[in-house]
Amino acid sequence: KRLIFYSLIAMLLTAACSSHEPQAPLQIIGFRLSSATPSTLAPWYSRNLDFDMEERNGATVLSKGSMTIELEKWEFSNLPVASGKRQPGFFKIGFKTPNLDLLYAHLKANGSDLRGDIFHDDHLKMRSLVARDADGNRVQFFEDKAIESLQPYFFSIIALDFEQTKAWVESNLGFTELHKLVLPARGFLIRLMIKDDLLLELISDGKVDTVSQPLPGIKGIVFNRSEGSKSSGELRYNGL
């Protein structure tokens, strides 16, 4: 099987290329998650990250400042049997925070599933922390003392066709490689890629699994060139 691939829907981010004016920095303004139990997932983001919750057209939408997380109701009546292997597609989402110690203490006090302690990423020169939300989605945090509040910063992709995916995000989103990491014992090849003030982790996983129907989880990354810009789009994983 091979990747059908990722698509930019809504207005393409590359639309701004038709203008001779300099492009505004690429920004993440939201994420789209699919959940069998949005009523359980939404309070996790409200309680831990101070998102507001509301219902819009039958969907649960979380908002904080200018960013949103839209929760789609899982479409299938039964969940596939878990294989224990990672699935292709979006693997993690992430945020910058001005005080990682404070956030760590808050998450721990709320009984959140923390994947280890705070660590220092030598490649990014940043402190970081990984947690799982109420559905088990991985959420990574990075400390940036220069900002004032939580802001979207990061997403991670497990790719079936690693080189094709890398070429796609380079040509369509403008990401460039920052660092290459090989973990042969785990069957991992990781490339950290940057674009403006955004970070992408691209993963080749030798133990990746596929299923006959899509799984709930991270489904879309919503981008914008600037606040109020018409040059915006959503990156969605299309399947296998």
Side-chain angles (χ1 to χ4, degrees), residues 22-28 195-198 224-227:
Q23 290 186 354
L26 187 65
Q27 302 170 338
I28 294 175
K195 168 63 177 173
D196 299 323
D197 192 30
L198 299 182
N224 210 354
R225 283 289 179 189
S226 60
E227 186 173 355

Side-chain angles (χ1 to χ4, degrees), residues 101-164:
D101 293 304
L102 187 63
L103 177 61
Y104 174 82
H106 182 61
L107 291 169
K108 191 171 184 179
N110 285 341
S112 296
D113 183 4
L114 300 173
R115 313 306 290 175
D117 295 321
I118 294 173
F119 62 94
H120 187 271
D121 190 308
D122 294 331
H123 308 300
L124 299 173
K125 312 299 183 188
M126 301 173 77
R127 299 170 76 220
S128 187
L129 172 69
V130 180
R132 289 198 188 199
D133 66 20
D135 274 11
N137 300 308
R138 292 166 177 83
V139 185
Q140 189 161 354
F141 302 96
F142 303 84
E143 186 173 62
D144 183 352
K145 294 183 179 297
I147 64 175
E148 296 182 355
S149 60
L150 194 76
Q151 66 182 45
Y153 170 64
F154 167 78
F155 64 106
S156 175
I157 295 173
I158 294 178
L160 285 181
D161 191 322
F162 187 81
E163 293 302 328
Q164 185 186 20

Side-chain angles (χ1 to χ4, degrees), residues 18-101:
S18 62
S19 171
H20 296 293
E21 298 178 2
Q23 290 186 354
L26 187 65
Q27 302 170 338
I28 294 175
I29 58 172
F31 301 104
R32 190 183 303 274
L33 308 180
S34 176
S35 174
T37 55
S39 60
T40 301
L41 181 58
W44 188 93
Y45 286 91
S46 177
R47 181 175 63 254
N48 290 291
L49 303 180
D50 199 29
F51 276 82
D52 295 323
M53 297 185 295
E54 64 175 308
E55 295 295 319
R56 296 182 192 171
N57 301 319
T60 302
V61 178
L62 302 160
S63 60
K64 183 179 177 69
S66 61
M67 64 175 159
T68 61
I69 300 176
E70 184 171 340
L71 306 183
E72 298 177 344
K73 178 67 177 176
W74 177 240
E75 299 175 355
F76 298 90
S77 58
N78 297 309
L79 290 174
V81 176
S83 67
K85 296 182 180 181
R86 285 169 286 271
Q87 308 297 324
F90 295 114
F91 184 54
K92 288 185 282 186
I93 59 174
F95 304 87
K96 278 185 176 181
T97 181
N99 191 325
L100 195 60
D101 293 304

